[in-house]
Amino acid sequence: MDEQHKNNKQEEPPQFSSKLGLVCSCLGCVVGTGNIWRFPRIVANNSGVAGGLAFLLVWFLFLLIWSIPMLLIEYGSGRYTGVAVVGSFKHFIGRKAAWCGAWISMVTFFIASYYAVVLGWCFYYAVYCMANELPENAVDSRKIFKDYAEDSAWPVLTHGIAVLIAGASILGGVKTIEKVNLMLVPILLLIVVFTFVWSLTREYASEGLTYLFSPDWESLGKPRLWVDALSQNAFDTGAGAGLMVPYASYMTWRNGIVKYGTLIPSTNNLISLISGMMIFSTVFSSLILTRPELSKSEIIDIVKDSGPGSTGLTFIWIPVLFSSIGVFGRVICVLFFTCLSFAGVTSLIANIELVAHTLCDFGVPRKVAASLTTLVIFLVGLLSSLNIDILTNQDFVWGFALVVNGLMLQAMVIFYGVNRFREEVFNDFSLDDWHLPRLWGYIVKFLAPLEGVALIIWWAVDLISTETQPGESWYEYGRETFMTTITQWLVLMLILILINVAVERFWYPRDRPSSDEFERVYDHSTMDNLSDTKSEYGSVNEKPTKPVMDLYL
């Protein structure tokens, strides 16, 4: 028996070596640039005359009824199947649904391709602020960004560095991912806390906080607030991106995924809130001191400024604001962009890992999969690094596709059976975890799909009824139009469905077992591996180290 245990241990798939490494990796996956630069701007865009508390309350509500339920699906399916998104759909629904998992993987791939470009901008600004004086006004600051990002080839280099660093971090699988996150995430959190505390000590910082936490209840009647609150929360936490599926595949029934799936996104949103407080405090304080003639509404307009590629507040105004503080402001500015860089790296690692892990599930060696994924992401991202309009388009098209991803994950659970999924994947497959209540099932089966469909309908109506850019109608192929988005979605979806059909028809032999036969074989194999585990841990269901499912992939 001891020899058998040794053999089983040797065959065990790679896992996180410590709880700290697991938590840091999961936090690094979800904490990104969206928490620090996107969140404050979205809050400002949806704040009323009195303040932004109404948006914050709705944003928190969607953490509970959208992001956490979606992330629990990702944690559960990844840990239970031991494979990435494509394999999870194949297991829970069948091979005909594999294209849904491929869609989620491809959306993440396209996001990673332009996200690496923005990360390259963060690298550049961290170095630039070390070597140069900060601009004193928005005109000079915009020229700095334009000279770098639009009128030079430097973004190609910084984009390449970003992809190379993230790609190298996944070469060794979960072990290198864990080591990189153990180093970067604590430093990232220290910088966030330090900058946050500093911002609160600034004169007139209370003006920014007062505005941020003052309610304007009339803004609750604006549908746009609800749309932005849900989409921002999904963007914050990565809900629907599928990023947690490969990370969870490195977990076992000893890891409390209901705990992680609840506490980690909650911590992530706390970091977003801290970042919002930091930005509002800094903006109000700096502008009141240097430009006292500005009104509150004019200050808020500066926070709302998006600029090309959503660069406004982060890359144009932040250097200007910190320049008013003197030498120490330059130090804070360097720390700010270093913080953004670390946050971007840890998130990009998760994006590349999802695609690479998917290739590994199909038998591609880890180093080949990681290298190939890194190379292709770099090549596709070249378009965004050379043309900021392409980057803006890709962000617009694939950022909102996260909602479609969420609907697909919900459909996976509904087709498999919500209660069956809840019991088999969570409650009967964990050693020391919180019990997942029936309420989660009601949210996934009824409330979340309603939210997702309503959000897509409102988004479509909003795009069709208004011009996103001057002269761009919804039926034209513009930078951010309805037709551009739908065309790219449908083309990708059609290609994936055709590939799925071709593989189903020509790749798999006709004499392979049916799904019912597979379940019987799988259950029998599982039960053969349960006896030793049950004798040691009680009622824990242990899956085979090498699932029979792998024989049919």
Side-chain angles (χ1 to χ4, degrees), residues 9-74:
K9 187 174 182 179
Q10 291 175 354
E11 294 177 1
E12 285 183 357
Q15 302 169 5
F16 287 104
S17 60
S18 67
K19 287 186 177 180
L20 179 60
L22 187 157
V23 171
C24 284
S25 297
C26 291
L27 266 179
C29 173
V30 297
V31 176
T33 57
N35 302 73
I36 301 168
W37 65 267
R38 191 177 191 271
F39 175 75
R41 178 168 54 83
I42 298 299
V43 174
N45 283 331
N46 291 277
S47 298
V49 176
L53 181 61
F55 174 85
L56 294 178
L57 293 176
V58 178
W59 170 75
F60 176 74
L61 173 65
F62 281 124
L63 170 69
L64 303 178
I65 63 175
W66 178 270
S67 296
I68 289 178
M70 294 309 98
L71 287 168
L72 285 174
I73 295 175
E74 296 185 29

Side-chain angles (χ1 to χ4, degrees), residues 177-458:
I177 293 173
E178 186 174 5
K179 289 177 181 178
V180 171
N181 281 290
L182 272 172
M183 178 181 65
L184 294 183
V185 171
I187 298 174
L188 163 64
L189 296 179
L190 283 174
I191 295 175
V192 169
V193 171
F194 174 79
T195 313
F196 168 67
V197 173
W198 167 83
S199 68
L200 296 185
T201 64
R202 297 277 295 158
E203 188 178 2
Y204 298 114
S206 59
E207 296 293 327
L209 295 179
T210 299
Y211 177 82
L212 181 63
F213 291 107
S214 295
D216 190 320
W217 303 119
E218 291 183 3
S219 61
L220 290 175
K222 300 176 181 178
R224 188 71 190 179
L225 179 144
W226 296 80
V227 172
D228 282 352
L230 191 152
S231 57
Q232 176 59 35
N233 209 292
F235 197 95
D236 267 353
T237 59
L243 299 176
M244 283 303 176
V245 179
Y247 275 27
S249 70
Y250 299 127
M251 302 179 191
T252 70
W253 42 263
R254 295 181 179 89
N255 301 122
I257 59 173
V258 178
K259 295 178 183 177
Y260 293 137
T262 303
L263 296 178
I264 288 177
S266 299
T267 303
N268 170 77
N269 274 25
L270 177 61
I271 294 172
S272 291
L273 187 59
I274 289 174
S275 301
M277 295 170 66
M278 175 181 70
I279 294 297
F280 273 80
S281 297
T282 302
V283 171
F284 271 79
S285 171
S286 300
L287 291 178
I288 290 175
L289 287 172
T290 59
R291 299 174 64 182
E293 74 278 4
L294 292 178
S295 65
K296 181 187 293 186
S297 61
E298 290 173 321
I299 294 176
I300 292 301
D301 286 340
I302 291 175
V303 184
K304 293 180 180 180
D305 180 21
S306 60
S310 298
T311 57
L313 179 64
T314 305
F315 299 100
I316 294 173
W317 276 104
I318 286 296
V320 174
L321 295 173
F322 285 132
S323 70
S324 65
I325 305 169
V327 177
F328 189 65
R330 188 169 161 188
V331 173
I332 295 294
C333 195
V334 171
L335 286 177
F336 177 82
F337 284 109
T338 302
C339 178
L340 273 179
S341 299
F342 285 4
V345 167
T346 56
S347 294
L348 185 59
I349 288 172
N351 280 260
I352 297 179
E353 169 62 16
L354 172 60
V355 182
H357 199 305
T358 300
L359 295 178
C360 291
D361 290 342
F362 285 91
V364 180
R366 158 62 63 169
K367 291 185 177 180
V368 175
S371 301
L372 181 61
T373 302
T374 302
L375 176 61
V376 178
I377 285 178
F378 169 73
L379 294 176
V380 174
L382 280 177
L383 298 173
S384 295
S385 67
L386 293 171
N387 190 323
I388 200 169
D389 287 334
I390 294 178
L391 184 147
T392 303
N393 169 264
Q394 291 297 282
D395 183 41
F396 181 77
V397 171
W398 302 113
F400 193 78
L402 291 176
V403 180
V404 180
N405 291 6
L407 290 173
M408 287 184 174
L409 289 170
Q410 295 158 24
M412 180 183 75
V413 175
I414 292 171
F415 275 101
Y416 187 74
V418 174
N419 287 330
R420 180 185 177 190
F421 191 93
R422 183 173 64 89
E423 293 299 329
E424 291 182 4
V425 175
F426 292 98
N427 295 337
D428 291 341
F429 195 56
S430 295
L431 177 63
D432 181 24
D433 198 5
W434 294 340
H435 181 84
L436 190 62
R438 290 184 176 273
L439 177 62
W440 173 85
Y442 296 138
I443 292 175
V444 171
K445 190 173 183 179
F446 301 108
L447 184 57
L450 181 62
E451 296 170 44
V453 171
L455 182 62
I456 291 176
I457 292 174
W458 170 255

